[in-house]
Amino acid sequence: MSKVLDSAIDVRKGEEIDIATLSAYLKKNNVTIDDEIVVKQFPGGFSNLTYLIRIDTKEYVLRKPPFGANIKSAHDMGREYKVLSCLEPVYSKIPAPILFCEDDAILGSPFYLMERVKGIILRNKIPKDLELTPDHFKKLSIQTVENLVDLHSLELEKSNLISLGKPDGYVVRQVEGWIKRYFKAETDEISAMNTAATWMQSNMPLKETSAFIHNDYKYDNLVLDADTLNIKAVLDWEMSTVGDPLMDLGTTLAYWVEATDHPALQSYNLTWMDGNLTRQEVVEKYAYLRNLNVDDMLFYYVFGCFKLGVIAQQIYARYKQGYTKDERFALLIHLVKACGKNAENAIKFNRINNFY
């Protein structure tokens, strides 16, 4: 199975880091270095930059914001490191945090180092030499929901996870905040995104509950065991907080692409392949495990679609402004439009799937 483990490649042009400066900093902070550091880059993801740091026989992962990003908001490395530190005593499926650097002089922005958890990460296609059957996907999709329930069930006070967010008024802040971000990053007028923004403002739920939430929970943020395909670790905690868990579920549902969804969405996830639960089945499984009445998931799904569209729009806007040369980003405008269309269809048909 070693051939299908998530692997790193040469660092993309324009995203190099200063190895000599990094080496000196790590030595100063008690990371043993007896040989030259080797730096590679993990190719997946569209947000923070993720590097493989190989030091002798040990491997670490370094995370830093993308160039041109506002590091005080969604790319706060100190906060992501704090999340991992709070989770470490109460949740086992994370990479252990090693150190955090807030000094911009080292790599141009804050960064943190964590252990590398080796395994398979399912992105937009099945890794070469790996055969996944419908039974594999059914097991994985069920386990993915079960693990989300585990996260939403974590104790907040003793673990200090409560310090990561302000649950009161969370839904209103999220709706208003993501709408503001969208129009700040807007490059093209997309009527479906405008429709979703207006509808959400008039349809916010009156009640909400609180839990620790991941806020970016999807297949390509899961590290799977190469032999069992069980979840070994969850990655990318940059947007984690304490808030309404149904908002978290809504985001996951937006990522949970089905076979009839727009091809632009299918190219970013594998939940559309045979065997996976449908979005409605995800909701039913989640509701059963948490003993909740979640009959009305429409608002949360619309929010998730809009939020995913905004994330893609923000990255696309950075590309248009020349902050990154990664050609993958040129296609993200199609993802924005597809997310807006799913939100618009959900509103139109009053359901979260089977639009076509």
Side-chain angles (χ1 to χ4, degrees):
M1 281 289 186
S2 61
K3 293 183 179 180
V4 299
L5 294 177
D6 194 52
S7 58
I9 61 174
D10 291 338
V11 178
R12 288 188 291 262
K13 185 177 180 180
E15 296 179 350
E16 300 88 351
I17 59 179
D18 189 323
I19 295 177
T21 303
L22 175 63
S23 179
Y25 177 82
L26 295 179
K27 287 179 180 178
K28 185 178 179 181
N29 285 272
N30 301 316
V31 177
T32 302
I33 301 176
D34 294 324
D35 202 350
E36 183 179 357
I37 291 180
V38 176
V39 178
K40 298 286 186 178
Q41 187 174 27
F42 289 101
F46 292 90
S47 186
N48 289 323
L49 302 178
T50 307
Y51 301 87
L52 171 65
I53 309 296
R54 187 176 292 119
I55 305 174
D56 303 320
T57 60
K58 295 183 178 180
E59 292 184 340
Y60 304 92
V61 172
L62 185 149
R63 295 262 290 167
K64 70 182 296 293
F67 297 95
N70 176 6
I71 62 173
K72 293 182 180 180
S73 57
H75 304 283
D76 187 339
M77 296 294 96
R79 191 177 185 285
E80 192 168 347
Y81 184 80
K82 180 182 178 182
V83 170
L84 289 173
S85 300
C86 289
L87 282 173
E88 193 173 18
V90 296
Y91 182 72
S92 62
K93 294 176 182 176
I94 60 167
I98 306 297
L99 62 82
F100 166 66
C101 174
E102 62 182 345
D103 186 356
D104 290 359
I106 306 302
L107 295 183
S109 65
F111 67 90
Y112 75 88
L113 197 72
M114 60 183 172
E115 72 166 336
R116 183 192 181 188
V117 180
K118 290 186 178 181
I120 297 169
I121 296 179
L122 298 180
R123 293 191 169 93
N124 61 342
K125 58 184 178 181
I126 297 176
K128 186 179 179 181
D129 300 321
L130 178 64
E131 181 181 354
L132 292 180
T133 66
D135 285 343
H136 286 129
F137 276 118
K138 183 175 182 179
K139 176 185 174 183
L140 174 60
S141 60
I142 291 173
Q143 186 183 165
T144 299
V145 179
E146 291 172 341
N147 188 62
L148 183 62
V149 169
D150 289 344
L151 286 174
H152 291 172
S153 302
L154 290 174
E155 189 277 333
L156 297 178
E157 299 292 341
K158 294 180 181 178
S159 64
N160 201 36
L161 289 171
I162 190 66
S163 68
L164 298 172
K166 299 177 181 179
D168 292 343
Y170 178 80
V171 172
V172 173
R173 290 198 310 275
Q174 287 294 297
V175 170
E176 293 178 349
W178 285 103
I179 291 174
K180 182 178 179 180
R181 293 182 193 103
Y182 176 69
F183 288 110
K184 184 177 181 180
E186 185 182 29
T187 55
D188 302 59
E189 184 174 347
I190 302 173
S191 61
M193 290 291 285
N194 296 341
T195 296
T198 301
W199 183 89
M200 286 190 300
Q201 290 173 311
S202 301
N203 289 273
M204 284 184 273
L206 299 177
K207 296 181 180 180
E208 55 185 290
T209 58
S210 299
F212 174 76
I213 58 181
H214 183 277
N215 260 334
D216 200 28
Y217 188 77
K218 52 194 171 76
Y219 275 2
D220 66 355
N221 278 336
L222 305 177
V223 181
L224 309 179
D225 183 89
D227 296 318
T228 66
L229 295 183
N230 290 332
I231 298 173
K232 289 181 67 176
V234 182
L235 306 177
D236 291 8
W237 299 90
E238 61 198 84
M239 293 194 286
S240 300
T241 188
V242 176
D244 192 326
L246 294 185
M247 297 284 273
D248 200 15
L249 178 59
T251 298
T252 294
L253 292 172
Y255 281 117
W256 205 278
V257 183
E258 297 186 358
T260 58
D261 287 336
H262 193 282
L265 290 165
Q266 292 179 16
S267 63
Y268 293 98
N269 209 329
L270 292 177
T271 51
W272 59 271
M273 299 192 73
D274 288 345
N276 283 287
L277 300 178
T278 65
R279 284 192 288 265
Q280 185 59 41
E281 288 171 338
V282 167
V283 171
E284 291 169 0
K285 181 68 174 178
Y286 180 91
Y288 172 78
L289 292 172
R290 295 204 67 205
N291 193 27
L292 294 177
N293 182 349
V294 290
D295 291 339
D296 184 14
M297 280 299 301
L298 182 63
F299 170 84
Y300 304 101
Y301 176 67
V302 170
F303 167 78
C305 291
F306 184 84
K307 173 183 167 182
L308 178 54
V310 178
I311 293 171
Q313 179 63 51
Q314 289 176 314
I315 301 169
Y316 178 72
R318 274 209 316 275
Y319 172 81
K320 292 281 284 185
Q321 293 162 6
Y323 286 119
T324 177
K325 304 299 182 182
D326 191 332
E327 291 301 323
R328 297 177 304 157
F329 298 166
L331 301 175
L332 286 178
I333 190 62
H334 302 297
L335 180 60
V336 181
K337 293 177 180 179
C339 288
K341 191 62 177 177
N342 267 13
E344 187 177 56
N345 280 335
I347 296 168
K348 178 181 178 180
F349 297 113
N350 193 33
R351 57 177 181 261
I352 65 173
N353 61 351
N354 295 327
F355 303 139
Y356 303 101

